[in-house]
Structure formats: structure tokens, C-alpha cells
């Protein structure tokens, strides 16, 4: 069974479009995350939700809007896509937001903006 | 800006050798540290976590933490070609919720 799943796996779109990435975890975890990994492999936190509440909101353009309908799902909507948004986006989850818990990562969504 | 720094490599070692991966961090409040392995095109997966000063061993992997020097390392004994990947060091302050990742070290194990 897939622990953390994301759809789509690949997303190719034109500048200016709006797109969404979906994430689901079946681990029963309370906390979910969105990370962006750029071409240099640098993995940077964007958002985190704990029990549907936003707990981390990094300096990310407000074109990016996360939504957590329940604690098993965390979606990412991106408006007015730009070339610089091209990256791999990873969803992750952990038991809770404390510092001692492993984060489990989804397979990633490779976003290419043309 | 709290940072985790790693040498990007690539680090190349022959099969059977010990690979030594190093990481420093700037946030003295960091309490827990993680080593993730990421194969090309795949997602990160946890190799080791360490919270106390000293060594922690798990099979061929040993994590070392020195909080006074703000230094974390990962030793891989008897390196195998299948160990070739990017290794991400990460630190977390238990007072906050963020895990800060380093940029990763690429390891090549030559058969």
C-alpha cells in the first residue's frame, strides 16, 4: 500500500496557467508538508499543516495556496504559473509536528512550466 | 537564517571502503538530526536519525553527532554501488516545526 501518494507525477503547463497537485497519506499521521526541490536538489519547506491547521507558511509567493480538507489530504494550488516554479514538489507526512518524528515523502510531482 | 551545510561532492569511494559524509548546522537550538538518502528521480527516504551526542549505529550506517561543534556525520561501512545516491542532512528545532535540509552530498561508489 502506498503510504504517501501524489498526483499527478508529471505536470507540464504553460506560463500563466493555474494548476493543482494533490496529496494523500494513509499512515494516520497528523502533520503534512509541502516541499519544493529545485534543480540543485535543495529541498525547501513551503507549508505544513497539523490536523488541518496551517503551522508553517514560509516565504512563498501568494500564488501558492495549500488546502487541507482533512488531515489525510493536503493539496497545493498554484495560480499564474511562472518559469521559476519549475521544480519537483514533494508532499510529506509525520506522526506529529514535534522534532523527533521521521517524515515520509511522497513520490514527487515534477512540474515544468514552459 | 538557520542553515544546514554539506559539501555537495561528488564523493567517490571504491566498493568496500568507508564513505564519510559531513554536515554542519548553524542553529544551536536544533535537537534532532536526520540523514535521508535520495536516489536520482526518487523521493528522500530516512536512513538514520540521531538526537544525542555520540554515535548511533544501524547495520552498515553510523551517525555521529557533536552538538558542541554543531557537526553531524554519516559513515557508511563496506560501501556498495547501490549506496550511490544523494545524502541529505537535516536538522530540526523541537521548539519549532521546521526541518531544515542541507543541499545534499552526491556519493558514488565505484565497483
Amino acid at each position: 500500500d502506498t503510504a504517501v501518494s501524489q498526483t499527478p507525477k508529471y505536470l507540464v503547463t504553460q506560463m500563466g496557467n493555474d494548476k493543482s497537485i494533490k496529496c494523500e497519506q494513509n499512515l494516520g499521521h497528523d502533520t503534512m508538508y509541502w516541499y519544493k526541490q529545485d534543480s540543485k536538489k535543495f529541498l525547501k519547506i513551503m507549508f505544513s499543516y497539523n490536523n488541518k491547521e496551517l503551522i508553517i507558511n514560509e516565504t512563498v509567493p501568494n500564488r501558492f495556496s495549500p488546502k487541507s480538507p482533512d488531515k489525510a489530504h493536503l493539496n497545493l494550488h498554484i495560480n499564474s504559473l511562472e518559469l521559476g516554479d519549475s521544480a519537483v514538489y514533494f508532499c510529506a507526512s509525520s506522526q506529529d509536528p514535534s522534532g523527533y518524528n521521521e517524515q515520509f515523502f511522497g513520490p514527487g510531482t515534477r512540474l515544468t512550466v514552459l | 537564517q538557520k542553515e544546514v551545510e554539506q559539501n555537495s561532492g561528488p564523493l567517490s569511494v571504491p566498493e568496500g571502503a568507508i564513505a564519510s559524509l559531513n554536515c554542519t548546522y548553524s542553529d544551536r537550538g536544533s535537537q534532532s538530526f536526520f540523514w535521508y538518502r535520495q536516489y536520482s528521480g526518487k523521493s528522500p527516504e530516512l536512513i538514520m536519525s540521531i538526537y544525542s551526542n555520540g554515535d548511533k549505529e544501524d547495520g552498515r550506517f553510523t551517525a555521529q553527532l557533536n552538538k558542541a561543534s554543531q557537526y553531524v556525520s554519516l559513515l557508511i561501512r563496506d560501501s556498495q554501488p547501490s549506496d550511490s545516491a544523494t545524502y541529505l542532512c537535516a536538522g530540526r528545532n523541537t521548539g519549532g516545526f521546521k526541518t531544515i535540509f542541507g543541499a545534499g552530498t552526491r556519493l558514488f561508489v565505484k565497483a
Side-chain angles (χ1 to χ4, degrees):
Chain A
D1 267 353
T2 304
V4 182
S5 58
Q6 294 178 230
T7 54
K9 190 168 174 62
Y10 299 96
L11 187 51
V12 181
T13 187
Q14 300 287 332
M15 268 198 320
N17 284 349
D18 303 338
K19 291 293 178 186
S20 292
I21 307 171
K22 295 187 176 182
C23 178
E24 177 180 1
Q25 54 95 4
N26 62 6
L27 297 167
H29 288 169
D30 288 344
T31 311
M32 296 184 73
Y33 311 81
W34 276 112
Y35 285 89
K36 178 181 180 180
Q37 189 170 46
D38 60 26
S39 57
K40 294 183 179 178
K41 300 294 186 186
F42 192 52
L43 196 63
K44 189 169 181 184
I45 183 74
M46 300 174 68
F47 302 103
S48 178
Y49 274 73
N50 184 56
N51 273 325
K52 302 192 295 177
E53 299 285 332
L54 181 66
I55 58 171
I56 296 174
N57 186 356
E58 283 297 279
T59 308
V60 175
N62 57 15
R63 299 181 293 104
F64 291 78
S65 52
K67 278 197 173 64
S68 182
D70 56 61
K71 71 176 190 177
H73 294 85
L74 180 61
N75 303 322
L76 183 65
H77 187 75
I78 315 170
N79 289 326
S80 303
L81 278 154
E82 299 178 358
L83 293 176
D85 298 332
S86 296
V88 180
Y89 292 83
F90 286 102
C91 177
S93 73
S94 64
Q95 183 63 50
D96 58 48
S98 74
Y100 297 103
N101 290 303
E102 173 185 359
Q103 293 183 33
F104 292 82
F105 285 82
T109 296
R110 182 174 293 277
L111 171 65
T112 303
V113 182
L114 303 175
Chain B
Q1 176 73 17
K2 298 178 173 61
E3 292 182 345
V4 173
E5 296 199 5
Q6 298 179 252
N7 186 325
S8 62
L11 173 66
S12 184
V13 300
E15 185 175 358
I18 296 175
S20 178
L21 305 164
N22 304 313
C23 168
T24 59
Y25 61 94
S26 62
D27 180 10
R28 284 198 172 274
S30 295
Q31 296 294 322
S32 51
F33 301 88
F34 306 88
W35 283 100
Y36 285 83
R37 178 177 63 199
Q38 186 174 25
Y39 291 113
S40 181
K42 301 294 185 183
S43 56
E45 56 178 335
L46 185 72
I47 298 296
M48 294 280 289
S49 58
I50 186 166
Y51 313 127
S52 304
N53 276 329
D55 295 0
K56 179 181 177 184
E57 187 174 319
D58 183 1
R60 296 186 296 112
F61 300 94
T62 299
Q64 299 173 318
L65 173 60
N66 183 326
K67 291 186 178 180
S69 301
Q70 296 178 244
Y71 178 89
V72 191
S73 65
L74 179 70
L75 300 177
I76 306 174
R77 289 181 299 281
D78 189 22
S79 295
Q80 301 297 309
S82 59
D83 295 326
S84 298
T86 296
Y87 289 80
L88 304 172
C89 174
R92 187 148 178 167
N93 184 324
T94 53
F97 302 123
K98 280 193 294 186
T99 300
I100 306 297
F101 283 84
T105 298
R106 292 181 66 194
L107 173 66
F108 289 109
V109 181
K110 299 175 292 186

